[in-house]
Amino acid sequence: MKRNSTRLRTLSAMATAVLTALAGLAAAPAPAGAVPAAAADVPAPTAGCQTTAPQQPGTSVLHTLASGGRERTYQLHLPAGYRADRPWPVILAFHGRGNTGAGTEEFSKLSTLPAVVAYPDGVVGTGEGDRQAWQGAPYEAPGVDDVAFTGDLLTALEDQLCLDSRRVYATGKSNGAGFTGLLACRMADRITAIAPVSGAFYPGTGTSADCHPSRPVPVIDFHGTGDTTIPYAGDEDRGLPAIPDWVAGWAERDGCTEQLPDRVIEPDITESTWAGADGRTRVEHVAVAGGGHTWPGADSYSGGGKTTQTIEAHEVLWRFLKHYRLP
């Protein structure tokens, strides 16, 4: 009882601090999209604040979770500086077809960022080989609701860890990247922004008129122009859109009508940006000239073709994502 009473007093104090900070903000209409950090950097602490973490800071551990009548797994990384009295941002990182959460952690370098990172594992889908996959692809596992699983995973993390529920970001590679698009369509109330890499944007991932997010979702997309697995120019036979068309579709969906001049930031890297009229939402595309079906900056195998070393995808996506909060 004493521990529960102490925890309640602590959470009450945190809530009071949040309300006080909110009261100090200038009165303004609630934004439709994600809020840049400078506009409202007020965390929303989760129930897991002041509880004992399930593992030591600075470690990565495989965990299980019951969801949809199945036992699911995910690799969880806590940053070395994790503390239970500070709400941390969280990154959900979804592997490509046939890979694993642990494999994605190895090449992505996401665990070097100042955030809690969860690397979920998909369920074996259809097609050749026993390869794990995500919802929305033609080879998805029949009857598996990965959107619901993501919600269950996020709830479990919020119950166990001190997170900021306004700062939940999703990234992924290939099939996992395509799945982040589906999450943006269906879970915009919980997913702040997305960062797909070499995305496989099949029709089932919300590339057409069936995507109606509840708010504009900031997007930063990475894709190699030399990708032969998920071609940059699209693949009509597989229902894959041209990558510039997919990005432009999200810009239109988000109301980002102002296209800024392209910027060549490295000899093989071009950034395209669309800005919203409210100045709060952006869609960015990072084109890697000659890049393959890979994770930019990876030091180990992440897919076929050329891997650029002129940028580190985890650093570039974090510079974009960290500025956004849910309204």
Side-chain angles (χ1 to χ4, degrees):
M1 291 295 294
K2 182 177 180 181
R3 180 182 176 184
N4 289 341
S5 176
T6 301
R7 183 184 174 196
L8 286 172
R9 286 196 301 271
T10 303
L11 289 176
S12 176
M14 293 178 74
T16 300
V18 169
L19 290 173
T20 301
L22 282 171
L25 294 174
V35 184
D41 192 7
V42 180
T46 59
C49 292
Q50 300 301 323
T51 64
T52 301
Q55 64 195 64
Q56 291 297 312
T59 64
S60 297
V61 177
L62 186 67
H63 294 267
T64 61
L65 173 69
S67 177
R70 296 172 180 267
E71 185 175 87
R72 303 292 296 265
T73 57
Y74 62 97
Q75 183 95 337
L76 176 64
H77 177 80
L78 298 187
Y82 175 83
R83 290 173 12 197
D85 60 351
R86 167 189 167 188
W88 288 78
V90 59
I91 299 172
L92 305 177
F94 298 89
H95 62 72
R97 184 189 187 192
N99 207 324
T100 63
T104 300
E105 180 180 26
E106 182 179 353
F107 67 70
S108 69
K109 306 179 188 177
L110 292 167
S111 290
T112 66
L113 298 175
V116 170
V117 188
Y119 302 87
D121 291 315
V123 176
V124 173
T126 61
E128 297 180 0
D130 294 333
R131 293 194 280 177
Q132 298 179 112
W134 296 104
Q135 184 178 351
Y139 42 78
E140 66 182 3
V144 174
D145 189 340
D146 283 321
V147 174
F149 164 59
T150 302
D152 291 341
L153 171 60
L154 187 52
T155 297
L157 294 174
E158 291 174 344
D159 287 343
Q160 299 171 26
L161 298 167
C162 191
L163 304 178
D164 184 351
S165 62
R166 297 183 66 207
R167 302 183 68 194
V168 179
Y169 312 113
T171 185
K173 165 80 191 326
S174 192
N175 172 217
F179 180 59
T180 68
L182 184 59
L183 291 178
C185 293
R186 299 190 185 179
M187 288 185 63
D189 59 327
R190 301 187 74 180
I191 302 295
T192 309
I194 64 170
V197 179
S198 301
F201 303 114
Y202 293 101
T205 62
T207 59
S208 56
D210 61 349
C211 178
H212 303 286
S214 58
R215 42 164 277 275
V217 180
V219 177
I220 181 168
D221 172 76
F222 299 77
H223 213 103
T225 63
D227 190 332
T228 59
T229 303
I230 305 295
Y232 193 81
D235 186 336
E236 186 175 353
D237 291 341
R238 291 190 287 162
L240 293 168
I243 299 303
D245 292 344
W246 183 88
V247 177
W250 264 105
E252 180 179 1
R253 193 177 286 121
D254 282 346
C256 295
T257 56
E258 181 185 2
Q259 184 170 2
L260 306 180
D262 288 350
R263 295 192 313 131
V264 178
I265 62 172
E266 294 288 349
D268 62 339
I269 305 295
T270 301
E271 282 189 351
S272 302
T273 302
W274 291 257
D278 60 2
R280 292 177 173 136
T281 306
R282 287 200 171 203
V283 172
E284 292 191 6
H285 173 55
V286 180
V288 183
H293 192 59
T294 57
W295 184 279
D299 295 330
S300 58
Y301 182 80
S302 65
K306 177 185 175 182
T307 302
T308 183
Q309 296 297 329
T310 59
I311 62 168
E312 298 277 353
H314 71 290
E315 295 177 348
V316 176
L317 67 83
W318 184 243
R319 282 198 295 269
F320 178 88
L321 297 175
K322 69 180 182 180
H323 291 294
Y324 290 99
R325 312 290 193 269
L326 284 175

